[in-house]
Amino acid sequence: MTLQIEVDLTAGVPPYEQIRSQIVAHVSAERLRVGDRLPTIRALAADLGVAAGTVARAYRELEQVGVVTTRRRSGTVVAAGAVAADILARQAASAFVATVRAARLTDDAIVDLVRGALLEPTPAGDRQEGSEVAHPDAR
Amino acid sequence: MTLQIEVDLTAGVPPYEQIRSQIVAHVSAERLRVGDRLPTIRALAADLGVAAGTVARAYRELEQVGVVTTRRRSGTVVAAGAVAADILARQAASAFVATVRAARLTDDAIVDLVRGALLEPTPAGDRQEGSEVAHPDAR
DNA sequence: ATCAATGCATCAACTGATTGATACAATGAT
DNA sequence: ATCATTGTATCAATCAGTTGATGCATTGAT
């Protein structure tokens, strides 16, 4: 069996991102294990009907996060640190859940909260420590 | 005395988003309180050197989330529903989403991650309406 | 040494998001 | 009733991100 990866061009999510996340899911579910080899860029690209550069980007990002390692002729394999990256994400989730639970939110509300945050277009820092200020009130 | 709001055009984050998050920060820090009036769209736009539509978008999104209410001639004021705890929870969610997105997870994966975290520490009412993914969740 | 397989780099075209400008609609004050 | 003030809608221009195509660089096998 080959890896089950699919791309939906109408999904709104960029294809390279779909590929990337599905591979992460496969690693997380242990359908891919450390040392397993991924399809070659060209093979997967042809299979999915996308350009090679698209798959290459997915692989590149996976390598930056430490999920895979690539060598020129040997191909792309699941890296030893793949699990660690996954754990980091889980830790972030636990910390977040602890924080919002302190605010006595229900589980449903928490999930909704995350869904709402996911809808916001901000991919980068939402951080801003304000300066002092007074109330605008008005006329 | 006006609200301390600044826009950095080189920040990568869109200006309307910077405005939105800074106002949220002001409400969260109680520099803006329920009933306080925000600057008019035109005034703030002129002050920041951006177009009115940019500020308008920030205000619109704030209204959708329930942080402010706007009326045509009366202007835009901080809404009653904009409770600090709620706002803080939203920011926690935003921060979490930003963090885990940096790990390049897809939206569905993020929601799954949160669901998994919700199951762990406190076995409270962990009932979600049936979603699509089961995700056995190893490790 | 050569070759072929594999990932990498580059770049023009395309697509969607964001902005800025302008005109419109509603509404409270007079 | 009128007007000035405020938010809203629209739309072309611009900008950032993504893709697809092509060629290059590396490297293991022979």
Side-chain angles (χ1 to χ4, degrees):
Chain A
M1 153 203 169
T2 48
L3 270 185
Q4 175 72 10
I5 296 181
E6 290 176 0
V7 168
D8 178 6
L9 296 177
T10 73
V13 182
Y16 82 87
E17 170 60 25
Q18 297 181 37
I19 297 167
R20 189 204 59 75
S21 66
Q22 287 180 53
I23 290 173
V24 168
H26 281 142
V27 172
S28 178
E30 297 192 43
R31 289 185 293 273
L32 274 177
R33 296 166 199 228
V34 172
D36 282 353
R37 184 172 179 183
L38 274 62
T40 70
I41 285 180
R42 283 172 182 78
L44 184 53
D47 187 29
L48 297 176
V50 300
T54 303
V55 178
R57 173 158 185 184
Y59 280 18
R60 190 195 331 147
E61 302 212 341
L62 287 170
E63 181 166 37
Q64 286 179 347
V65 181
V67 173
V68 302
T69 35
T70 70
R71 278 156 52 202
R72 283 274 170 161
R73 156 88 187 217
S74 319
T76 302
V77 301
V78 177
V83 182
D86 191 43
I87 286 184
L88 280 181
R90 287 177 193 283
Q91 285 181 341
S94 292
F96 163 69
V97 166
T99 297
V100 293
R101 271 200 170 137
R104 295 177 197 142
L105 294 184
T106 70
D107 287 3
D108 285 343
I110 292 172
V111 173
D112 286 346
L113 207 57
V114 173
R115 284 224 167 91
L118 287 172
L119 293 180
E120 293 185 2
T122 164
D126 195 17
R127 242 344 186 236
Q128 194 84 30
E129 84 288 22
S131 310
E132 55 76 31
V133 124
H135 293 158
D137 60 81
R139 46 225 112 246
Chain B
M1 42 189 68
T2 47
L3 272 182
Q4 174 72 14
I5 295 180
E6 289 176 2
V7 168
D8 178 6
L9 297 178
T10 74
V13 182
Y16 81 88
E17 170 59 25
Q18 296 181 39
I19 296 167
R20 188 203 59 75
S21 66
Q22 287 180 53
I23 291 173
V24 168
H26 281 142
V27 173
S28 176
E30 296 191 46
R31 290 185 293 270
L32 276 176
R33 301 199 173 91
V34 171
D36 282 351
R37 185 171 179 187
L38 274 62
T40 69
I41 284 179
R42 284 172 183 76
L44 184 53
D47 187 28
L48 297 177
V50 300
T54 303
V55 177
R57 174 158 182 185
Y59 281 18
R60 190 194 332 146
E61 300 211 343
L62 286 170
E63 180 166 38
Q64 285 179 347
V65 181
V67 173
V68 303
T69 38
T70 71
R71 278 156 53 202
R72 281 277 170 155
R73 155 88 187 213
S74 319
T76 303
V77 301
V78 177
V83 189
D86 198 30
I87 299 295
L88 283 178
R90 283 200 179 90
Q91 286 204 329
S94 291
F96 163 70
V97 165
T99 296
V100 79
R101 263 187 174 157
R104 304 291 182 182
L105 293 187
T106 181
D107 286 6
D108 285 342
I110 292 171
V111 172
D112 287 346
L113 209 56
V114 172
R115 286 214 168 102
L118 286 171
L119 295 180
E120 278 196 9
T122 314
D126 51 347
R127 199 70 235 139
Q128 311 291 353
E129 25 70 52
S131 187
E132 63 295 342
V133 187
H135 207 145
D137 183 17
R139 119 184 34 20

